[in-house]
Amino acid sequence: MSTAPVPEVDLGDLGFGRGAHLLVQRALAGLPPGGRLAVTGRDPALRVHLPAWCRGRGHRVEWPDRGDGSDLVAVVVRGSADDDRWFGAERAGPALPSALSSRPPARWGLGARGALLEAGGPEARFDLDDRDLVWADIAPHLYAQAAARQWDPQTAVPWDDPFALPADVEAAVVQVMTYLVENEQAALVVPARLVGRIHPHFREVVQLLAVQMADEARHMEVFSRRALLRGAEMGTSSAGGRQSLFTLVAESDFALASFLLSVLGEGSFVDLLSFLHENAPDPVTRRICWLAMQDERRHVVFGMAHLEHQAQLDPLLRDRLRAAIHRRHDALADTAGLNADVFDALVVLAAGGWHPDDVSAGFGRVQALQHAMDQGRQRRLVRLGFRADEAAALSALHTRNFM
Amino acid sequence: MPAPTVLLGAVAYDPKVVTIWEGFRAWLRGRGLDFDFVLYSHYERQVEDLVAGRIDAAWNSPLAWLRAERLAAANGTTVRALAMRDTDQDLTSVVVVRADSPVRQVADLAGRVVAVGAIDSPQATLIPLGHLAAAGVTVDVRRFDVGVGLHGDHIGGERDAARALVAGEVDAACMIDANHLAFVQEGTLPPEGTRIVAQTARYDHCNMTVRAPESDGVRLFGKLLLGMSYADPQVRPLLDLEGLTAWREGRTTGYDALADAVDANGFYSPDGRVTAPDYRP
């Protein structure tokens, strides 16, 4: 018989119905399998509960004589089940994003990045599992910034500011807002369809896209609310406009969807919101366009960042981007593109009046907007490595629906 | 040469039984045993089929083990406990009263209403009532017949007995030690609301019963069961579901208290017939 002193844990009056197992577990953790632990305590049910608990966890219980009249309940002999459970366990990569796995395995699945994963469990397949395909080093920073800059649609917009617009100007606002809601619906659905496919190892990208979706949700809310602020009907929606947006939603390739949405679409959308901010006839419209513009800029920054990263690694990326633009152009060649009502509404807002000179000036401003959109697209394409002349040609193929 | 085979019987007391034995089947087949299982809705038919040779092994409750032993003897054969879970050894049952009860010791229960589980529950009915009878205490039994035929594997009867105790409908309730802890932890029993006034001697629970003579398949089955490791991620979830951390060699030294209770109330006849008058599995 061993005479080595047996470590002891005193449970005092604490019973297993109130967490005594935590003290026993903690004391056992310091022992090897086969190690012995004396348990003392005064809870009346301990002699029933301690062995019942030990049995379920593979520990053995010995019942030494209590000749000394102590509070000794039993001696627990540590089993190996606790160790066995963690045999073959592995970390799901590093906790911090500084050294991400280039190809996190499917078995990491929904395990928190950096967590110690019990072996076994499901092979959770997330098909967007290539670091170079989804990651951008700026993602954690952009997420933090995006989360900090969430605004409350109720308090951030002066809904109650008094203003009155002529009926035709109000109708133009309603028409533009209707168009913006449609665009933001697409901008929400595109990341929503991608986010469930991204390996959770790249969680900052998932978080960023989630906030991006929350951005779009708010935009849908405020644009709808402005449209209905003075009436009960929305404007018109053209078949071609909806088809243009649906080509974005249908793109399943992450890089291409991101390119079409963020770099080309939302990039142009930022120019449109800037235009509306400048030409808005009322404080509510002005404010919501400004708020949405700030969010959209962030979306473009992320889209650009990870495509720039990917373009450096993959010289063939530009071929795919080029093909995507051509494909979308061909798909939309037979559609009218931008809703004519939207174009006219933009002219009305920019004109600010019905004198022929006003309309002419408004028309010029919308043309300038289109030029600015084109220039912006070309700049971004050049940053992704396209030659200037090709960037101009590709930008010209962009959908007339702006987005 | 064809692979050794085993056809196991298991009682479907819970849907998880399918998951468990399908998982074990894949694991066993991967190690050279042509294993399959059939599910029974209660233990009585399973035991009869084991003794009649229609299945090779029966995953038996302790009560089913006793009946298998008796039926086999009546048929001139024997059965053996091939293996058991580590968690099936050295259990106890307890008799519990409310903390404010005047009952301080077993003798105080005389003439009082004691809630028990189903008629065929070894842990919540037969063994604790046998314990009280052995102490010379006659009580008024209120039975909670949930899952009759499942030999107490369905926890519902025990839980209903515990609830009746809390509700003040009965003076005491019987349950297995681990369920007393579980009921306290899940809130069925208030943490300091009950007192244990009696605890039975230790007894054993289920075992894997096989018939003599043992086939190559049964021998391989026993060897493979004992070789299952909690460190194996393929079987660990199944072991967790089945509630064990290791299979042990079967032993039959822990069934005396149950056998005494079965004899005392005539649950089975000495030759293994069902003789409990109001038992309809």
Side-chain angles (χ1 to χ4, degrees):
Chain A
M1 227 180 110
S2 168
T3 54
V6 175
E8 182 181 320
V9 61
D10 182 8
L11 305 177
D13 293 318
L14 186 64
F16 271 73
R18 292 245 186 227
H21 71 282
L22 291 170
L23 295 182
V24 177
Q25 208 160 257
R26 179 166 172 262
L28 286 172
L31 301 176
R36 300 167 78 241
L37 174 73
V39 180
T40 59
R42 291 181 296 276
D43 180 74
L46 262 188
R47 291 181 68 79
V48 171
H49 289 168
L50 175 67
W53 179 84
C54 287
R55 196 191 307 132
R57 279 150 192 83
H59 305 307
R60 202 158 54 76
V61 176
E62 293 177 355
W63 303 96
D65 286 339
R66 292 196 296 169
D68 58 356
S70 72
D71 290 334
L72 178 66
V73 177
V75 171
V76 176
V77 184
R78 190 190 197 280
S80 65
D82 290 342
D83 305 72
D84 290 344
R85 179 176 294 284
W86 298 106
F87 178 79
E90 63 172 333
R91 290 274 168 202
L96 296 173
S98 49
L100 293 177
S101 166
S102 59
R103 207 68 185 257
R107 67 178 178 277
W108 289 1
L110 287 168
R113 192 174 69 210
L116 183 64
L117 302 181
E118 180 185 351
E123 294 264 324
R125 177 109 178 86
F126 291 91
D127 68 307
L128 298 176
D129 59 354
D130 185 333
R131 180 187 188 282
D132 292 332
L133 190 65
V134 299
W135 183 254
D137 286 334
I138 200 173
H141 170 73
L142 278 180
Y143 165 70
Q145 190 188 71
R149 294 190 181 169
Q150 296 293 291
W151 40 270
D152 178 355
Q154 180 57 32
T155 57
V157 180
W159 298 108
D160 299 328
D161 273 15
F163 70 84
L165 302 179
D168 40 22
V169 175
E170 176 66 19
V173 170
V174 169
Q175 181 56 61
V176 171
M177 291 297 127
T178 303
Y179 165 79
L180 294 182
V181 170
E182 288 184 356
N183 278 269
E184 298 299 51
Q185 284 173 174
L188 189 152
V189 171
V190 170
R193 295 177 88 147
L194 295 173
V195 85
R197 295 169 47 203
I198 297 174
H199 196 299
H201 187 66
F202 307 110
R203 68 173 164 79
E204 289 84 353
V205 173
V206 174
Q207 290 164 225
L208 180 61
L209 291 180
V211 176
Q212 194 166 311
M213 286 151 62
D215 288 342
E216 309 300 7
R218 285 196 317 278
H219 300 174
M220 284 158 60
E221 177 192 342
V222 294
F223 293 146
S224 301
R225 193 165 164 182
R226 171 61 191 94
L228 301 173
L229 195 61
R230 293 287 188 266
E233 281 190 348
M234 301 292 281
T236 62
S237 165
S238 72
R242 293 199 304 278
Q243 187 157 349
S244 172
L245 291 174
F246 194 69
T247 58
L248 287 177
V249 173
E251 179 58 68
S252 62
D253 182 288
F254 182 73
L256 299 186
S258 177
F259 174 66
L260 295 176
L261 175 71
S262 300
V263 177
L264 298 180
E266 288 179 314
S268 299
F269 207 61
V270 167
D271 291 324
L272 175 61
L273 291 168
S274 172
F275 169 88
L276 290 169
H277 175 245
E278 284 168 23
N279 294 285
D282 63 85
V284 171
T285 304
R286 194 174 306 123
R287 178 67 177 161
I288 60 179
C289 289
W290 188 86
L291 287 168
M293 183 172 64
Q294 307 306 314
D295 294 336
E296 297 294 345
R297 279 186 174 144
R298 209 169 44 237
H299 305 173
V300 178
V301 169
F302 173 67
M304 282 299 294
H306 91 85
L307 282 169
E308 278 185 286
H309 171 76
Q310 211 184 328
Q312 285 168 3
L313 297 168
D314 177 10
L316 297 178
L317 176 68
R318 277 184 292 278
D319 293 337
R320 293 169 55 216
L321 300 181
R322 183 186 297 111
I325 292 179
H326 280 285
R327 207 164 48 239
R328 187 162 185 234
H329 176 263
D330 292 347
L332 299 174
D334 298 330
T335 67
L338 181 68
N339 183 351
D341 291 346
V342 175
F343 187 88
D344 291 348
L346 291 173
V347 173
V348 169
L349 293 181
W354 289 100
H355 189 278
D357 291 343
D358 294 335
V359 172
S360 172
F363 199 91
R365 288 190 188 103
V366 174
Q367 281 185 319
L369 164 64
Q370 289 177 302
H371 180 69
M373 287 172 162
D374 178 46
Q375 293 293 302
R377 284 194 297 270
Q378 290 188 43
R379 268 197 311 278
R380 290 188 291 278
L381 288 167
V382 167
R383 269 176 58 194
L384 292 178
F386 288 98
R387 287 196 327 269
D389 57 342
E390 188 180 15
L394 290 173
S395 176
L397 294 177
H398 186 61
T399 168
R400 286 163 291 181
N401 191 47
F402 300 162
M403 183 74 160
Chain B
M1 209 173 105
T5 65
V6 161
L7 179 60
L8 169 105
V11 169
Y13 67 91
D14 185 283
K16 73 178 181 180
V17 171
V18 175
T19 309
I20 291 167
W21 287 106
E22 280 187 348
F24 282 156
R25 178 172 62 188
W27 190 89
L28 293 164
R29 284 183 177 177
R31 283 154 185 80
L33 179 64
D34 185 6
F35 176 89
D36 203 359
F37 65 95
V38 290
L39 296 179
Y40 289 86
S41 62
H42 59 81
Y43 277 106
E44 308 312 333
R45 188 180 303 280
Q46 174 171 300
V47 169
E48 289 157 14
D49 279 3
L50 174 74
V51 174
R54 288 189 278 271
I55 54 176
D56 303 308
W59 183 215
N60 266 345
S61 76
L63 192 59
W65 156 256
L66 290 181
R67 184 167 181 228
E69 201 179 26
R70 294 178 183 200
L71 273 183
N75 279 301
T77 59
T78 56
V79 289
R80 186 170 81 90
L82 181 72
M84 60 204 309
R85 301 177 294 191
D86 56 350
T87 47
D88 277 322
Q89 298 185 340
D90 297 329
L91 319 183
T92 66
S93 290
V94 290
V95 185
V96 181
V97 297
R98 289 183 299 278
D100 59 1
S101 168
V103 175
R104 311 303 304 182
Q105 53 192 348
V106 177
D108 299 338
L109 286 169
R112 293 186 182 268
V113 182
V114 176
V116 299
I119 181 172
D120 55 346
S121 171
Q123 63 269 14
T125 307
L126 295 166
I127 291 175
L129 287 182
H131 180 81
L132 294 179
V137 179
T138 304
V139 297
D140 190 2
V141 174
R142 178 155 174 214
R143 216 169 64 208
F144 289 86
D145 273 333
V146 178
V148 171
L150 304 180
H151 291 189
D153 286 356
H154 194 295
I155 198 174
E158 259 171 282
R159 190 176 273 122
D160 285 353
R163 285 182 179 139
L165 176 70
V166 174
E169 297 164 11
V170 296
D171 298 305
C174 302
M175 61 201 71
I176 204 163
D177 51 13
N179 279 343
H180 182 256
L181 176 57
F183 293 159
V184 171
Q185 289 179 332
E186 75 187 16
T188 298
L189 296 176
E192 265 103 38
T194 60
R195 214 155 19 79
I196 296 166
V197 293
Q199 183 178 19
T200 68
R202 286 173 215 146
Y203 59 85
D204 285 352
H205 210 252
C206 304
N207 75 53
M208 186 64 72
T209 314
V210 295
R211 202 182 45 255
E214 286 163 33
S215 65
D216 290 347
V218 165
R219 277 192 292 275
L220 177 59
F221 181 45
K223 193 173 142 213
L224 290 173
L225 282 180
L226 294 175
M228 280 183 182
S229 168
Y230 201 60
D232 175 350
Q234 191 187 341
V235 291
R236 188 169 53 243
L238 306 171
L239 298 176
D240 281 340
L241 271 182
E242 185 56 40
L244 71 158
T245 70
W247 290 98
R248 297 249 173 91
E249 292 275 4
R251 70 180 189 193
T252 55
T253 53
Y255 297 120
D256 290 350
L258 182 60
D260 290 346
V262 164
D263 287 333
N265 73 7
F267 198 92
Y268 295 138
S269 68
D271 60 357
R273 283 174 294 118
V274 176
T275 44
D278 48 353
Y279 175 46
R280 293 286 178 273

